[in-house]
Amino acid sequence: MSDEFVSPERIAGLCAGLELLASAVVLLDESCRIRYMNPGAENLFEVSQRKLVGFPLSELLGHSLELAASIENALADNWSYTGHDLHFERSGEVLRLDCTVTPVDTAGLRLLLEFRPIDAQLRVAREEQLIQQQKANRELMRNLAHEIKNPLGGIRGSAQLLARELSDPALREYTEVIIAEADRLQDLMNRLLSARAMTRPASINVHDVLERVRRLVRAEFPAIQVRRDYDTSLPDLMGDREQLIQAILNIARNAAQALDGQGEICLRTRAARQITFAKRRHRLALELQVIDNGPGIPEPIRHTLFYPLVSGREGGSGLGLSIAQTFVEQHQGMIDVASRPGRTFFTVLLPVTTPEH
């Protein structure tokens, strides 16, 4: 077959059905040059096909002996081959993928590569489990907060009455401690209950939200550098501006506290296409990341980090991330976290389009 040029428009017409696939698909010509990447592939490899069309596959994936063998076998036998547990690097992280190589013979195209993260099913199952567990924990804490508020009021009132009867200033110090601690617990209960406040949706530019968060973090932690890495072409989304500010601020403040006053936080936005979360697939979602170069999240609390009252910091209330999770879920989104020493990613996904059925 000749290595003729095929226009992107013609390929797009031939591959319209591939646009709807959640899996990542890459089409190659006879010379193993990239001719097409569907949105699933752009999202998986975090690159636009416009930057890679016409380039060798190695520009996207580097040199993989296992993948090269699958391609060679598919071309030689004109049959599909699957490479298992292939390792590729993306943004400093290692992707573990299965790749099925299928010969095609149309419009100057020769091979179809379909990539599937081998942990995708495990991730979906874990996501569903976490959602159910978080709902149960929040309901428990909400009921507990209601039960605690009434006795707290009685304790505080009794301490005030007792303080009036005491003439010894040293004894009144004890009642002041009781009142102060009752007030602290009352504030804690109010924060638990207020996280379920109703949203007030309006059209929001997410970068306005991030700039507000950036100013607040810089004011509170002046020694920490807060970088921007924005995709300014992202569309507006519908949401509650104040809730989103509070959610992202809680995540960023958590990162700043983990840095212990020194380090760097990056606020990053990207488009995520054909992505599934909370059992729903969206053609377009907004991916917002808060990235820090701190010590990482301790393994024992990594899987319970968003539960109420779980904190990796001495003196922390354990409510900031739980409230952030609640606000994001009220926007039909989700939060995920990946961490290793020197690099922690909090990723917030917010739908821009309505879910597909």
Side-chain angles (χ1 to χ4, degrees):
M1 177 179 297
S2 64
D3 191 16
E4 62 177 330
F5 172 76
V6 184
S7 71
E9 293 78 12
R10 186 181 177 194
I11 291 178
L14 291 168
C15 304
L18 301 178
E19 298 280 318
L20 302 178
L21 292 179
S23 58
V25 174
V26 177
L27 290 175
L28 308 179
D29 62 17
E30 184 77 31
S31 302
C32 287
R33 293 182 178 273
I34 297 170
R35 292 303 183 191
Y36 169 80
M37 296 172 63
N38 76 338
E42 291 181 306
N43 184 55
L44 177 64
F45 296 111
E46 296 184 348
V47 66
S48 167
Q49 75 159 339
R50 291 194 303 270
K51 294 183 178 180
L52 288 176
V53 165
F55 284 88
L57 182 63
S58 58
E59 287 290 321
L60 174 65
L61 301 176
H63 297 282
S64 167
L65 295 178
E66 297 90 343
L67 181 56
S70 296
I71 290 175
E72 183 179 342
N73 290 335
L75 290 173
D77 300 336
N78 202 34
W79 197 258
S80 293
Y81 282 85
T82 298
H84 295 285
D85 200 6
L86 307 178
H87 291 65
F88 304 104
E89 189 166 318
R90 179 196 68 177
S91 301
E93 295 182 283
V94 175
L95 291 175
R96 298 177 59 196
L97 309 171
D98 287 346
C99 177
T100 299
V101 182
T102 303
V104 295
D105 190 5
T106 181
L109 303 175
R110 191 66 184 93
L111 292 170
L112 183 150
L113 278 59
E114 183 179 6
F115 296 91
R116 296 175 301 278
I118 62 175
D119 61 345
Q121 294 301 318
L122 293 176
R123 183 184 61 80
V124 170
R126 183 172 64 87
E127 176 188 322
E128 294 177 0
Q129 181 183 7
L130 284 175
I131 289 173
Q132 294 304 317
Q133 184 64 49
Q134 287 157 359
K135 285 181 180 178
N137 274 276
R138 280 195 296 272
E139 188 64 23
L140 172 64
M141 294 308 301
R142 190 173 69 86
N143 293 336
L144 183 61
H146 277 297
E147 292 298 321
I148 290 175
K149 284 187 71 174
N150 290 335
L152 271 181
I155 292 170
R156 189 185 194 282
S158 298
Q160 286 178 313
L161 291 174
L162 180 60
R164 295 173 187 171
E165 301 296 325
L166 296 174
S167 58
D168 187 343
L171 294 177
R172 281 202 299 272
E173 286 184 12
Y174 294 118
T175 60
E176 290 171 4
V177 170
I178 296 172
I179 293 170
E181 289 301 293
D183 287 342
R184 186 179 65 82
L185 288 174
Q186 183 74 42
D187 179 63
L188 192 65
M189 296 304 104
N190 289 337
R191 289 168 63 194
L192 278 173
L193 294 172
S194 65
R196 302 305 302 179
M198 295 295 291
T199 59
R200 297 177 177 84
S203 181
I204 300 171
N205 183 312
V206 70
H207 298 119
D208 290 343
V209 170
L210 291 180
E211 284 301 291
R212 174 71 180 279
V213 170
R214 184 171 178 270
R215 287 194 296 270
L216 291 171
V217 172
R218 291 182 65 189
E220 187 174 353
F221 304 93
I224 292 177
Q225 182 182 2
V226 185
R227 290 197 304 109
R228 308 177 181 98
D229 182 5
Y230 297 163
D231 179 353
T232 55
S233 67
L234 291 174
D236 290 353
L237 72 155
M238 294 297 294
D240 186 306
R241 184 174 185 272
E242 294 306 314
Q243 281 194 0
L244 288 178
I245 288 174
Q246 189 61 56
I248 306 306
L249 179 61
N250 285 1
I251 297 171
R253 182 177 284 140
N254 182 81
Q257 290 167 344
L259 291 171
D260 197 21
Q262 298 289 332
E264 178 183 279
I265 294 173
C266 178
L267 303 177
R268 182 178 185 267
T269 59
R270 291 294 185 270
R273 295 179 175 83
Q274 299 296 344
I275 192 163
T276 300
F277 55 91
K279 297 183 180 180
R280 297 179 177 182
R281 189 172 71 169
H282 298 266
R283 291 179 64 91
L284 180 64
L286 185 151
E287 181 184 84
L288 186 158
Q289 289 185 312
V290 179
I291 307 167
D292 71 73
N293 61 351
I297 299 169
E299 183 64 32
I301 68 167
R302 194 169 297 175
H303 299 298
T304 58
L305 196 61
F306 296 102
Y307 292 178
L309 306 183
V310 174
S311 176
R313 180 174 54 88
E314 185 177 353
S317 68
L319 289 180
L321 293 180
S322 177
I323 291 173
Q325 174 86 349
T326 298
F327 285 161
V328 170
E329 283 188 359
Q330 286 178 351
H331 287 77
Q332 286 74 56
M334 65 167 288
I335 304 179
D336 196 13
V337 61
S339 182
R340 65 177 189 271
R343 204 73 169 166
T344 296
F345 297 77
F346 279 89
T347 301
V348 177
L349 287 169
L350 297 170
V352 176
T353 59
T354 55
E356 299 174 350
H357 300 287

